[in-house]
Amino acid sequence: MTTLGEALIHLLEAHGVDTVFGIPGVHTVELYRGLARSKIRHVTPRHEQGAGFMADGYARASGKPGVAFVITGPGLTNTLTAMGQARADSVPMLVISGVNATDTLGKGLGHLHELPDQRGMMAKVALSSRRIDKADELPGALADAFALFASARPGPVHIEIPTDVMVVPADGLSPKFANAAPPAPDGALIAKAAALAAKATRPVIFAGGGTRAAEAALKRLAEALDAPVVLTTNARGLLHAHPLAVPASPSFKSVRKMVEEADLAIAVGTELGPTDYDMYGDDGFRLPENFVRIDIDAEQLARHPTTVAVQADARAGLDALLAALAGKTLQADGAGRAAAARTAARAELSPAMQAQLDAVETIRDTLPGAIIVGDSTQPVYAGNLCYDHDRPGGWFNAATGFGALGYGPPAAIGAALAVPDATVVCLTGDGGFQFSLPELAAAVEADARVIFVVWNNSGYREIETSMRDVGVEPVGVSPAPPDFAKIAEAYGIPAERLAARSGLPDALRRARAAKKPYLIEIAVD
């Protein structure tokens, strides 16, 4: 007899899942039946939040959904923060959890790990939350989840299986596939957008995280329109060193000036959120009168007034717009406008922030093509403001959107396992690192060759600065950091501490040569 727990593993394999992140418990034992005999690799984090962040990093680096197995109750609530980050950044994540036996649900009888309404809680964060009550419901539930990932704005999906349902017979279950596709761009709307573009004399393009798989189409359209391309945080790495690229936040006055002088803005795959467009909270971002949006999400398109709103996948929408232009090209001084915005944006950074940006660029230049996974720390803030990465999809962090601290280390582990041939760097601060420090053990156990770069300024320096700026005497912003090198060595990870940033290039080269997890701590005055 094949149980539903065993069938789950076979069905996941059929959907191309090769890795799951999870911590087994008494409520998920039956989900693990057959896992050891499958081709799926199981990675054990040290906390369920780490499982979610690893799944997130795996998804961003691989382009495939990240999958997490967690227990009911505390296991799932621990994963909720990671799901919030995935929802904010449109990351495909499948969370499969247990739940108590069917006849106990909602009765408040005090069972282990009991929640009043687990699905109700998850429905507030997940794109969907579904309970499997019968064995034959599982193939359809998985098909629906993977169809959503493929055809709509992705995010976290939750499936729960009661402990009594995990063990029911499930012989003969076959996988289902929905063959879903993103909505095709509306030809009439594309024609309107093309007409606006053909008349523009100073167009500009905004590229968000939704364009990460559409670099070639984005480049062709930008060159046809001679339009500067402002890259949000999640689009960094696209158009590296291209004369039309503006890898700088539209929160900068210089970038906003370029936008205000434009007669057309085209936004592709971006939610226009304030953590990209209004980092300083001054409500100073203004769009030109003619505004075209291309986005896969109809709800997202309805949130801002537009001249033309096209629901489509970024690549399909860009290709359609380019085709509608029928070979027309503009001369709009795009390179000059982009260069002026880039130069002026960098000049807006404070000397301290420029020094932090130098550290990020040192990592890029020493380790070309690396994936840099960030946490909420000062060099990452600087990079999000103004930084040109050299690998599409190779710069991501949790310092925008939901803003979960402790994201970097586990997400970097997930990325390293997704793309084992890539050099993966985790750039984290001493405060954020302590949120997920035990995941060093998971890196060693899984042979995730992450280079952990710890920016140690002995506290939450950014928060301390924010307090001082508004006249609040700093409290609670100086958590004493441990000896990170000793902790790393206790896990069997080589480590070194730098007293000056000048030693970073050589340390990075030693770390890459080690071909194993490695820790570099930078002491910051």
Side-chain angles (χ1 to χ4, degrees):
M1 182 190 77
T2 299
T3 67
L4 186 65
E6 290 175 290
L8 171 66
I9 303 303
H10 299 315
L11 294 172
L12 288 174
E13 285 183 319
H15 282 283
V17 174
D18 56 25
T19 306
V20 299
F21 303 91
I23 301 176
V26 293
H27 284 69
T28 53
V29 166
E30 287 297 334
L31 297 184
Y32 281 75
R33 189 180 295 277
L35 184 59
R37 299 187 302 275
S38 78
K39 296 178 182 179
I40 296 176
R41 178 181 191 178
H42 184 273
V43 177
T44 308
R46 297 309 187 257
H47 190 279
E48 289 93 354
Q49 181 171 285
F53 285 149
M54 288 179 192
D56 178 302
Y58 174 94
R60 297 198 205 208
S62 70
K64 297 166 47 178
V67 181
F69 279 8
V70 297
I71 65 167
T72 185
L76 191 55
T77 56
N78 284 342
T79 314
L80 201 58
T81 294
M83 295 175 71
Q85 188 68 52
R87 174 120 188 195
D89 286 345
S90 305
V91 177
M93 178 190 296
L94 176 60
V95 177
I96 299 175
S97 78
V99 71
N100 286 313
T102 306
D103 63 358
T104 72
L105 299 178
K107 295 181 179 179
L109 299 174
H111 286 273
L112 180 65
H113 302 329
E114 184 179 48
L115 283 167
D117 182 4
Q118 182 169 282
R119 276 191 61 214
M121 175 188 71
M122 297 309 296
K124 299 298 184 183
V125 176
L127 296 177
S128 71
S129 177
R130 183 166 177 176
R131 180 181 304 141
I132 304 302
D133 295 313
K134 299 177 182 178
D136 60 6
E137 295 174 356
L138 182 58
L142 290 173
D144 289 346
F146 283 90
L148 187 154
F149 297 145
S151 64
R153 184 183 183 185
V157 171
H158 170 241
I159 295 174
E160 67 179 19
I161 307 176
T163 53
D164 59 312
V165 178
M166 294 177 190
V167 298
V168 300
D171 296 294
L173 281 187
S174 298
K176 292 183 178 180
F177 302 96
N179 295 321
D186 181 282
L189 293 174
I190 287 291
K192 289 181 180 179
L196 289 173
K199 296 177 182 177
T201 60
R202 298 179 71 80
V204 64
I205 297 172
F206 297 108
T211 63
R212 284 172 53 163
E215 182 179 38
L218 178 65
K219 178 174 177 288
R220 289 196 302 271
L221 182 67
E223 291 174 348
L225 298 181
D226 198 17
V229 181
V230 180
L231 299 158
T232 69
T233 296
N234 283 328
R236 298 293 172 78
L238 300 176
L239 305 184
H240 173 61
H242 193 286
L244 291 173
V246 183
S249 171
S251 301
F252 282 121
K253 293 178 181 178
S254 52
V255 179
R256 289 178 172 181
K257 181 175 183 294
M258 180 185 70
V259 174
E260 289 168 1
E261 293 174 350
D263 57 359
L264 172 68
I266 301 173
V268 188
T270 172
E271 66 179 355
L272 301 172
T275 55
D276 273 309
Y277 292 81
D278 193 21
M279 282 190 187
Y280 300 114
D282 60 10
D283 195 29
F285 178 74
R286 297 288 181 270
L287 286 163
E289 181 178 350
N290 290 324
F291 179 43
V292 173
R293 284 191 81 182
I294 299 172
D295 201 282
I296 199 170
D297 186 8
E299 291 184 3
Q300 185 59 246
L301 289 171
R303 289 175 183 147
H304 295 277
T306 56
T307 312
V308 181
V310 179
Q311 185 183 7
D313 167 75
R315 184 186 301 167
L318 289 166
D319 283 341
L321 183 53
L322 193 64
L325 287 169
K328 295 179 183 177
T329 58
L330 304 181
Q331 297 294 322
D333 190 27
R337 290 185 289 141
R342 287 194 304 267
T343 301
R346 184 148 188 155
E348 288 185 50
L349 295 174
S350 68
M353 194 161 279
Q354 289 194 27
Q356 293 153 14
L357 181 57
D358 287 343
V360 177
E361 292 177 336
T362 295
I363 297 173
R364 178 199 63 197
D365 297 341
T366 306
L367 304 174
I371 297 172
I372 302 180
V373 184
D375 213 303
S376 293
T377 190
Q378 288 184 315
V380 171
Y381 299 145
N384 285 349
L385 279 168
C386 187
Y387 169 64
D388 188 13
H389 195 56
D390 63 351
R391 179 185 181 125
W395 170 267
F396 59 87
N397 55 77
T400 63
F402 194 59
L405 200 57
Y407 168 88
I413 292 169
L417 296 177
V419 193
D421 294 334
T423 300
V424 177
V425 178
C426 169
L427 182 53
T428 184
D430 59 291
F433 198 15
Q434 292 181 73
F435 275 51
S436 49
L437 191 54
E439 301 304 353
L440 287 175
V444 173
E445 200 167 74
D447 191 27
R449 301 177 181 183
V450 177
I451 302 171
F452 298 93
V453 177
V454 185
W455 187 265
N456 188 350
N457 56 22
S458 298
Y460 302 137
R461 188 65 59 84
E462 195 73 19
I463 306 304
E464 179 181 348
T465 300
S466 298
M467 286 181 164
R468 294 188 186 280
D469 285 347
V470 295
V472 175
E473 185 175 351
V475 174
V477 293
S478 302
D483 188 322
F484 291 112
K486 287 184 178 179
I487 290 176
E489 289 164 3
Y491 283 119
I493 296 176
E496 54 183 292
R497 182 182 292 111
L498 305 180
R501 274 168 270 174
S502 59
L504 182 56
D506 287 341
L508 290 168
R509 284 187 278 267
R510 287 190 291 271
R512 179 176 55 188
K515 296 183 178 180
K516 61 188 299 186
Y518 201 98
L519 186 143
I520 301 168
E521 179 184 354
I522 304 173
V524 182
D525 184 359

